[in-house]
Amino acid sequence: MRVAILLYPASAPEGLRTLAKGLADGLQANGHQVDTFDLKLEDSVRVGIYDYICIGASGASAFSGKIDPALTRRLDSIGSLSGKRCFAFVRKQM
């Protein structure tokens, strides 16, 4: 299965990248092909070829699980996410 991990860090991306690397390593150990993208740095991300989408974001503040509203607009510009299996995780700001 082809898996895309899409990251949208708020300020300090290191923690979110560490979580994504652990997730990617686990998926690859199970035989899946994994690609990781930083949505703030990459403009030409297309997810049509992927079977499973993982979305990781940083929380808006240390006490909130809310995400940046710009992520919603960015996901709209990526392409067709409908019909894809996916999940999302939010890392608290520290």
Side-chain angles (χ1 to χ4, degrees), residues 1 13-15 22 27-29 41 66 69 72:
M1 178 173 17
E14 295 81 24
L27 289 168
Q28 287 172 343
L41 300 177
K66 294 182 180 181
T72 304

Side-chain angles (χ1 to χ4, degrees), residues 27-81:
L27 289 168
Q28 287 172 343
N30 286 313
H32 303 292
Q33 181 180 354
V34 180
D35 296 317
T36 304
F37 303 99
D38 188 330
L39 294 177
K40 285 197 169 185
L41 300 177
E42 300 180 43
D43 291 332
S44 61
V45 176
R46 296 288 177 237
V47 294
I49 61 172
Y50 296 99
D51 303 310
Y52 201 92
I53 310 295
C54 304
I55 302 169
S58 298
S61 71
F63 302 107
S64 172
K66 294 182 180 181
I67 59 172
D68 186 353
L71 175 58
T72 304
R73 293 187 298 275
R74 182 69 174 105
L75 290 174
D76 287 340
S77 71
I78 286 177
S80 176
L81 289 174

